[in-house]
Amino acid sequence: MANLPPSFASSKASSSSNDPKPSPVEQLVLDICDPELRENALHQLSKKREIFHELAPLLWHSVGTTAALLQEIISVYPFLSPPTLTVAQSNRVCNALALCQCVAAHPETKMPFLRGITILDNLTRFSWLTACLALRDYLPDLLSDTTFTSCLYEEPAAVQWLQQMHHNIRVRPPPGL
C-alpha cells in the first residue's frame, strides 16, 4: 500500500503509524490480486463501497488492482456469445463492475479512470469487433438479468447507458460487423 493517494495516506498516518498490518479493507484490496482470494474480496468490497468513502482511491492507487478488475470483466467475454455465463461468473463480473463504477464516480479518481478508458479504446480492430458482437448478442439478456440489474439499481444512468450502447451497436454497427 505504498502508493496510496494523499487523502488516504494522511488519514492512515494519523490513525496508526506504528501498525504495519493492513486494515481489513486494505487487505481485501490486496486480495483482489490473488486469484484464490479474489471472489470473496470482490464480493466484500462491493458490499462495502458505500461505507468506505476512500475505497475508490485505494483501488485506483493499489498496484495491480485495476488490472485484476479488468481481467475479471474480460474473462467473461467468451461466455457472452453464445450465452453460457454461470451465476457465479455473473456475480463476480457484477462485483468487478460495481468497483469500477466506484472508481469512475469518485472525484479523485474519475479523470485518471476516464483517461485509462481512452487508452483501452485503442484496442485492435479485431478485439473491438469481437466485443461488439458479444455486446450485441448478450446485452439484451444482461439488461433483463435481475442479478446484474440489482448491482446497478442505484445507478439508473448506468442502465440507460448500457441500453443506449446496445441500441447503437444494433442500429449503427462498427465497420466490418
Side-chain angles (χ1 to χ4, degrees):
M1 298 282 143
N3 196 15
L4 293 177
S7 62
F8 187 77
S10 61
S11 66
K12 183 72 177 168
S14 63
S15 64
S16 61
S17 59
N18 295 333
D19 187 10
K21 186 177 178 186
S23 73
V25 172
E26 291 172 324
Q27 186 58 56
L28 287 169
V29 170
L30 290 171
D31 290 350
I32 289 175
C33 293
D34 183 339
E36 297 295 317
L37 304 173
R38 186 176 297 157
E39 185 171 6
N40 180 59
L42 290 171
H43 177 71
Q44 295 300 319
L45 287 169
S46 181
K47 288 191 326 189
K48 295 178 183 188
R49 71 184 188 279
E50 299 297 326
I51 299 166
F52 186 59
H53 299 290
E54 293 302 315
L55 179 59
L58 184 58
L59 288 167
W60 182 254
H61 293 285
S62 299
V63 176
T65 304
T66 303
L69 292 174
L70 290 173
Q71 183 181 21
E72 280 298 315
I73 295 165
I74 292 168
S75 73
V76 300
Y77 282 8
F79 304 101
L80 298 179
S81 183
T84 57
L85 198 64
T86 67
V87 173
Q89 289 170 316
S90 176
N91 288 338
R92 281 177 73 132
V93 76
C94 284
N95 289 331
L97 287 167
L99 294 176
C100 285
Q101 190 275 332
C102 172
V103 172
H106 193 280
E108 190 175 324
T109 55
K110 182 184 294 187
M111 290 313 295
F113 183 79
L114 291 175
R115 282 192 293 274
I117 295 224
T118 302
I119 291 167
L120 289 175
D121 281 344
N122 294 322
L123 293 172
T124 64
R125 180 179 169 87
F126 176 75
S127 296
W128 170 246
L129 292 175
T130 303
C132 285
L133 281 171
L135 287 171
R136 185 185 67 193
D137 294 342
Y138 190 68
L139 263 179
D141 294 335
L142 188 62
L143 292 171
S144 64
D145 181 88
T146 55
T147 304
F148 179 76
T149 55
S150 69
C151 290
L152 297 174
Y153 79 95
E154 293 176 358
E155 292 294 333
V159 174
Q160 183 180 4
W161 181 80
L162 287 168
Q163 289 170 333
Q164 184 63 48
M165 182 172 52
H166 179 255
H167 172 76
N168 291 348
I169 290 170
R170 228 180 45 245
V171 174
R172 294 184 307 264
L177 192 62

